[in-house]
Amino acid sequence: MDCIFCKIVSGEIPSVKVYEDDRVLAFMDINPLNHGHLLIIPKAHAATIDEITEADFLAVMSATHKLAAAVKKALSPDGMNLLQLNGKAANQLVPHLHVHIVPRWSGDGLTVSQWEIVAGDMEKIKGVAEKIQSEMGNSK
Ligand code: AMP
Ligand code: ZN
């Protein structure tokens, strides 16, 4: 498959690795949004959250938790953004699931998003919650 992150997993494309286990690989982002920006991916190809297995997703999240602690110790950031985009509509560029860790420092000038806070229609919010909740009931 012509997937850039699968090629990083296989070693066909070089990367600066920071962590690896049997399910997961973490490497530095080559276009860092900030000092220490890194990516955590499953080794098995899955484009998005709705394609990845629960076991692989949990492995990615567990590695993310460990890496966040390592980033905190190594770089002493004031904060961290975890980003995980799914689908072109959500601005995902590389269609192989990945979690970004972006270390943040007060006043670093980086803006992740500036979504306007607008109060929602509570009837609409409750309606959509019911729809999601009923799907949860259908899942194992
Ligand atoms: P997105 O799909 O929008 O969540 O972002 C994809 C990320 O992958 C971007 O931050 C890119 O800089 C990064 N990226 C793309 N190619 C490589 C590569 N060969 N090595 C490391 N990072 C990469
Ligand atoms: Zn892939």
Side-chain angles (χ1 to χ4, degrees):
M1 186 194 299
D2 197 25
C3 168
I4 187 162
F5 286 178
C6 282
K7 287 181 179 163
I8 284 179
V9 172
S10 70
E12 236 179 289
I13 290 179
S15 66
V16 180
K17 291 181 190 170
V18 287
Y19 174 78
E20 184 168 12
D21 63 33
D22 39 330
R23 285 184 187 270
V24 173
L25 180 66
F27 53 95
M28 303 311 294
D29 195 302
I30 50 166
N31 309 298
L33 291 171
N34 224 354
H35 188 52
H37 181 181
L38 62 90
L39 304 172
I40 304 102
I41 68 169
K43 285 185 171 173
H45 182 84
T48 56
I49 184 72
D50 48 311
E51 285 188 13
I52 193 169
T53 64
E54 185 179 12
D56 272 350
F57 190 64
L58 291 177
V60 167
M61 294 319 287
S62 171
T64 300
H65 186 247
K66 286 192 195 108
L67 282 155
V71 166
K72 177 94 183 165
K73 279 193 186 161
L75 306 179
S76 304
D78 299 321
M80 263 178 255
N81 288 117
L82 298 188
L83 304 171
Q84 200 277 305
L85 315 179
N86 296 280
K88 279 190 187 151
N91 295 336
Q92 182 180 17
L93 295 176
V94 176
H96 180 130
L97 186 140
H98 49 282
V99 174
H100 300 251
I101 294 183
V102 184
R104 299 298 306 273
W105 286 270
S106 305
D108 62 17
L110 190 63
T111 52
V112 172
S113 75
Q114 301 263 317
W115 289 334
E116 203 187 336
I117 306 275
V118 180
D121 172 339
M122 282 319 293
E123 284 315 305
K124 227 173 151 179
I125 290 170
K126 285 178 194 161
V128 75
E130 266 172 35
K131 217 169 161 181
I132 296 166
Q133 207 174 19
S134 71
E135 289 299 334
M136 288 299 287
N138 292 341
S139 73
K140 294 158 266 157

